[in-house]
Amino acid sequence: MKKRRTSDQQEAEKALVGAMAAEMIDTDMAIGLGTGSTVRHFAQALGQRIRTGLRVRVICTSRQSEMLAKQNDIPTTDFDRVPSLDLCVDGADEVSLDFDMIKGGGGALLYEKIVAAASSRRIYLADSTKLVGKLGQFPLPVEICRFGHQNVLSHLGRLARQCALRRRDGDAVITDAGNYIVDCQFGEIDQPASLHRRLCDIPGIVETGLFCDMIDMLITIKEDRPVVLTSPSEAFWAP
Ligand code: 5RP
């Protein structure tokens, strides 16, 4: 069960995990910079280290993360100049006891997955509210092509308990890659990898927010302190 936290406590936890991740960065690393409010804390702490001499370059996973880099004096690069990354640092919407994740609450799941796949190591940051037994309380974001989206929506509608095109101020949200996002309720997800494959078989589905077998290091909070976990066998939270 998710731990109850006030939003101030949750923000404090995000700051702790973000600061710890920034301490793990070595000079001259090429890093993937994730998206979201937890990554914002990482970017702030990384910016402080850069101002005192650390040299790094980042590839951003969204326009929002480009802004974060700019605000914190973090030099950016791209895949033309840096074909692979030493590591990526990103947040999560849910992390299960098996170390699978739901991501995409911020709508950047496609670029986040591309950047994660191009990284030798992947660090994910999760405050204690993100830790779950099984995935599925957080609606699964699925990125779909705009062309023919009506058919994909009805297909998803048959598979999921509920699904809805993500909207902001009444308009459908368009991702940085020019696609739509559908938020899907599947209930408890027993087999995330097979659900991911099943969804990706549907023409028009570009990517899902299921990130399976991608965590090399999880920085989270245990008894109010940041901790580093590297394997599901170290997961300490209750189902
Ligand atoms: C964006 C993401 C974020 O990493 C995820 O939504 C977590 O966000 P936050 O750190 O704001 O809780 O996947 O697409």
Side-chain angles (χ1 to χ4, degrees):
M1 213 176 48
K2 286 194 193 190
K3 198 165 174 178
R4 288 221 173 80
R5 284 286 184 214
T6 65
S7 58
D8 281 355
Q9 285 170 322
Q10 190 181 3
E11 208 52 37
E13 292 189 357
K14 289 178 183 194
L16 285 173
V17 296
M20 182 177 253
E23 287 307 313
M24 293 180 177
I25 307 303
D26 294 327
T27 210
D28 286 332
M29 273 186 165
I31 304 163
L33 183 64
T35 297
S37 54
T38 316
V39 167
R40 188 176 68 235
H41 290 285
F42 166 70
Q44 285 166 350
L46 186 64
Q48 280 173 13
R49 289 198 61 202
I50 288 170
R51 286 189 282 278
T52 57
L54 181 77
R55 266 197 328 265
V56 289
R57 298 146 294 161
V58 301
I59 291 185
C60 296
T61 52
S62 62
R63 290 203 197 107
Q64 193 207 64
S65 108
E66 277 167 16
M67 278 186 30
L68 272 182
K70 202 168 166 191
Q71 285 161 356
N72 293 287
D73 305 318
I74 304 172
T76 55
T77 185
D78 55 43
F79 282 119
D80 285 329
R81 285 176 282 177
V82 177
S84 64
L85 298 166
D86 297 300
L87 66 87
C88 74
V89 178
D90 204 348
D93 295 302
E94 277 188 349
V95 183
S96 73
L97 284 167
D98 293 331
F99 267 29
D100 294 320
M101 291 180 286
I102 287 183
K103 285 184 50 55
L109 61 113
L110 175 60
Y111 289 0
E112 288 172 338
K113 207 176 263 189
I114 291 171
V115 164
S119 302
S120 306
R121 279 171 58 234
R122 297 173 276 252
I123 299 180
Y124 288 96
L125 312 177
D127 65 74
S128 59
T129 69
K130 311 291 181 60
L131 307 175
V132 297
K134 286 186 179 176
L135 301 179
Q137 292 167 41
F138 191 91
L140 175 68
V142 176
E143 184 152 349
I144 68 168
C145 189
R146 277 194 275 174
F147 178 80
H149 72 274
Q150 299 85 345
N151 291 323
V152 178
L153 261 178
S154 40
H155 204 137
L156 282 171
R158 288 191 295 275
L159 286 179
R161 290 183 183 173
Q162 261 187 328
C163 69
L165 199 60
R166 190 179 294 181
R167 293 183 181 277
R168 193 178 301 126
D169 302 327
D171 295 325
V173 168
I174 297 177
T175 67
D176 289 348
N179 299 310
Y180 286 150
I181 299 272
V182 188
D183 293 301
C184 303
Q185 285 285 0
F186 284 96
E188 216 166 65
I189 301 174
D190 286 321
Q191 296 186 322
S194 73
L195 177 62
H196 168 74
R197 283 192 298 274
R198 191 164 166 208
L199 292 172
C200 288
D201 276 348
I202 301 169
I205 288 189
V206 179
E207 191 49 88
T208 84
L210 288 166
F211 283 54
C212 301
D213 205 17
M214 298 193 97
I215 299 178
D216 293 307
M217 184 184 285
L218 177 69
I219 306 183
T220 186
I221 299 288
K222 185 180 182 186
E223 289 158 9
D224 298 325
R225 293 214 166 84
V227 284
V228 173
L229 312 183
T230 54
S231 135
S233 63
E234 297 171 304
F236 56 85
W237 54 96

